[in-house]
Amino acid sequence: MEHRFYTLDVFTSNRFEGNPLAVFTDGDGLSDDQMLAIAREMNLSETVFVQKPTDEEALARLRIFTTKEELKLAGHPVIGTWYCLQNWASFLRRMAASIFFKRPELESCR
């Protein structure tokens, strides 16, 4: 089973400074034990798993794990995860736009 993840440093613009964080953007389908095992393997202060929301008013469900347990809430993981998702969404929009604008060129090559 493959899952996409990102590592980032929260509260800094410099690598290897700030608060380290791992964000798994596709955390659905992982059991609690699997998420805890992954968090242990990442060996960071927190690892976040983004899942589909369980509340209709929510945008996503964030599951935050340390190497020992799941946390109900933690500041830098939430801020870092939303920053990561915002940048990921921006990247996807740019990719979709570039594919859309290049498509006529591809069709004219047929």
Side-chain angles (χ1 to χ4, degrees):
M1 183 182 304
E2 293 185 17
H3 291 272
R4 176 181 293 120
F5 74 93
Y6 300 89
T7 58
L8 54 148
D9 296 303
V10 182
F11 302 133
T12 185
S13 55
N14 300 319
R15 282 184 155 198
F16 312 118
E17 294 180 12
N19 297 66
L21 179 66
V23 177
F24 284 74
T25 57
D26 55 351
D28 289 313
L30 293 169
S31 70
D32 293 355
D33 289 339
Q34 288 172 315
M35 287 185 272
L36 183 57
I38 291 169
R40 285 183 182 142
E41 180 69 21
M42 298 305 294
N43 200 31
L44 299 173
S45 57
E46 285 94 11
T47 300
V48 178
F49 299 88
V50 180
Q51 298 180 331
K52 291 178 184 158
T54 55
D55 182 318
E56 64 184 42
E57 295 182 17
L59 297 173
R61 181 180 186 201
L62 304 184
R63 307 273 311 268
I64 305 167
F65 284 79
T66 68
T67 57
K68 297 183 181 197
E69 64 186 342
E70 182 174 8
L71 303 177
K72 292 185 184 216
L73 182 65
H76 98 268
V78 171
I79 292 168
T81 298
W82 286 112
Y83 176 83
C84 178
L85 293 175
Q86 184 270 331
N87 282 304
W88 186 50
S90 177
F91 169 77
L92 292 177
R93 282 193 301 274
R94 286 193 310 272
M95 289 299 294
S98 71
I99 291 167
F100 176 77
F101 289 119
K102 289 182 182 177
R103 186 173 179 184
E105 296 170 17
L106 294 175
E107 289 179 351
S108 67
C109 294
R110 291 182 186 178

